[in-house]
Amino acid sequence: MKKNIAIIMGGYSSEYQISLKSGNVVYNTLNKEKYNAYRIHIFENKWVYVDANDKEYAIDKNDFSVLVNETKITFDCVFNAIHGSPGEDGFIQSYFKLINLPQTSCDAYQAALTFNKRDCLSVLKPYGILTAESYYLNLGDIINEDQIINKVGLPCFVKANKAGSSFGISKVHEKEKLNAAIDIAFKEDNEIIIESFLDGTEVSVGVITYKGETKVLPITEIFSENDFFDYEAKYLGKSQEITPARITKEQENKVITVAKKIYNVLKMKGYTRSEFIFKDGEPHLLEMNTIPGLTNESILPQQAAEAGITMEALFDSAIEEALKS
């Protein structure tokens, strides 16, 4: 019997268009001999199944089923391709846990924790994970520019605390531009994190559960043509993503060890992609993504290909792992 797989995509954040691309890649790649794949668009104003002719059918949120031509369709597993909220922050994981439907990403707590950069870095510090110096602000806090710069220095990065794909992020070189960067970040989130600039090689490390084992994928070096790895660099071709990364064997071993440690300490499942910068030869964690991009241009699929894992095998393994859990 073929399994019914709901591929959820879209979401409530600025990342919804990227998520739709990721979801459609999964939809087009899954083995149709093995699975019945269904595209499910999840937006704040509607949850719908979208058929091959782009006709929409409302999802019944009571049991995540859909009625198509008077036939009720239920699902064996959900493939989570939603970047940002509610797919990457724990909300959708909690919903599927309540209705006892397996899904391919990590559990709710891990999603909520890693989506909150400040909380995630704070949890990992006691385990010896190195990070940039940071300063936190909540919307409405008094902004003391001198205090911020004394803590993190210049240049520094101002980031939305709970946003992905480089939305709400600025690199600040001058004190006079700090307030404008803070305003940009607060448009994405009511919490922000300001971090010291780490001058070194940036790498992206994919860690996944693959065929029952924790697997670190080949490392990607991020070389941005812009001042940093912003939205343009990430999605509009203004960067080079070099896999395998041009780092020493010692650096490679260090970052593999740290990335695997983080995955296991946090009791992760599914796909993750963590960003590090080497400072003085040591990898410093920037953040972890639990629903990394899955388009043909995305970093995780590039890494899987370098490891000899096809997109079909990558997606198939995620479903198999979810069905076992």
Side-chain angles (χ1 to χ4, degrees), residues 22-281:
S22 289
N24 277 298
V25 168
V26 176
Y27 174 75
N28 291 322
T29 303
L30 283 185
N31 184 342
K32 301 302 189 287
E33 300 297 313
K34 190 173 181 180
Y35 303 115
N36 297 311
Y38 296 83
R39 295 180 298 170
I40 310 295
H41 288 190
I42 293 190
F43 295 109
E44 285 183 293
N45 63 337
K46 63 181 179 181
W47 289 22
V48 292
Y49 157 56
V50 181
D51 72 10
N53 299 312
D54 291 332
K55 186 177 179 182
E56 297 182 352
Y57 301 83
I59 294 290
D60 184 344
K61 294 181 185 177
N62 292 296
D63 60 357
F64 202 70
S65 64
V66 61
L67 202 62
V68 179
N69 301 327
E70 299 183 9
T71 300
K72 181 176 178 175
I73 297 169
T74 58
F75 301 101
D76 298 293
C77 181
V78 173
F79 195 107
N80 185 359
I82 296 178
H83 313 310
S85 188
E88 204 166 4
D89 55 8
F91 288 108
I92 210 81
Q93 290 87 348
S94 298
Y95 166 72
F96 288 127
K97 184 73 172 175
L98 284 171
I99 63 171
N100 200 30
L101 184 55
Q103 55 87 32
T104 56
S105 61
C106 62
D107 292 333
Y109 170 74
Q110 284 76 7
L113 177 65
T114 50
F115 196 68
N116 188 311
K117 298 179 182 76
R118 307 186 331 188
D119 290 357
C120 185
L121 297 175
S122 299
V123 164
L124 290 169
K125 274 185 180 177
Y127 291 92
I129 306 302
L130 301 175
T131 64
E133 194 69 59
S134 56
Y135 188 103
Y136 304 154
L137 279 175
N138 295 328
L139 189 62
D141 284 355
I142 294 169
I143 298 167
N144 186 323
E145 295 172 348
D146 291 329
Q147 197 175 71
I148 293 167
I149 291 166
N150 286 340
K151 180 84 183 291
V152 302
L154 286 173
C156 65
F157 283 101
V158 180
K159 303 176 181 179
N161 187 40
K162 300 186 295 292
S165 291
S166 301
F167 288 107
I169 182 170
S170 304
K171 187 176 181 181
V172 177
H173 295 266
E174 301 154 14
K175 177 182 171 181
E176 293 73 28
K177 296 187 177 175
L178 185 59
N179 262 309
I182 288 170
D183 288 343
I184 289 168
F186 275 136
K187 285 176 183 171
E188 289 292 330
D189 190 18
N190 60 6
E191 299 173 349
I192 68 173
I193 180 170
I194 304 172
E195 291 182 326
S196 60
F197 170 59
L198 299 174
D199 192 7
T201 302
E202 182 172 352
V203 296
S204 186
V205 187
V207 187
I208 64 175
T209 303
Y210 185 71
K211 297 187 176 177
E213 295 183 1
T214 302
K215 184 176 182 64
V216 181
L217 296 173
I219 297 157
T220 299
E221 178 185 346
I222 307 298
F223 182 79
S224 176
E225 294 173 22
N226 291 354
D227 198 19
F228 64 97
F229 195 47
D230 59 4
Y231 185 89
E232 264 197 345
K234 196 172 284 186
Y235 297 110
L236 303 179
K238 295 290 182 109
S239 69
Q240 292 180 52
E241 295 154 10
I242 302 158
T243 311
R246 300 169 301 182
I247 55 178
T248 66
K249 193 67 183 173
E250 182 184 11
Q251 287 177 314
E252 182 185 349
N253 290 336
K254 280 181 179 178
V255 79
I256 285 172
T257 300
V258 171
K260 195 169 187 177
K261 180 179 181 179
I262 292 168
Y263 191 94
N264 291 330
V265 161
L266 296 180
K267 298 181 172 62
M268 294 303 303
K269 295 192 299 190
Y271 307 147
T272 68
R273 204 192 70 231
S274 298
E275 318 303 328
F276 296 88
I277 287 182
F278 282 97
K279 182 187 176 187
D280 301 326

Side-chain angles (χ1 to χ4, degrees), residues 10-27:
Y12 306 163
S13 77
S14 306
E15 299 180 80
Y16 77 93
Q17 289 176 313
I18 302 154
S19 171
L20 292 175
K21 288 181 181 178
S22 289
N24 277 298
V25 168
V26 176
Y27 174 75

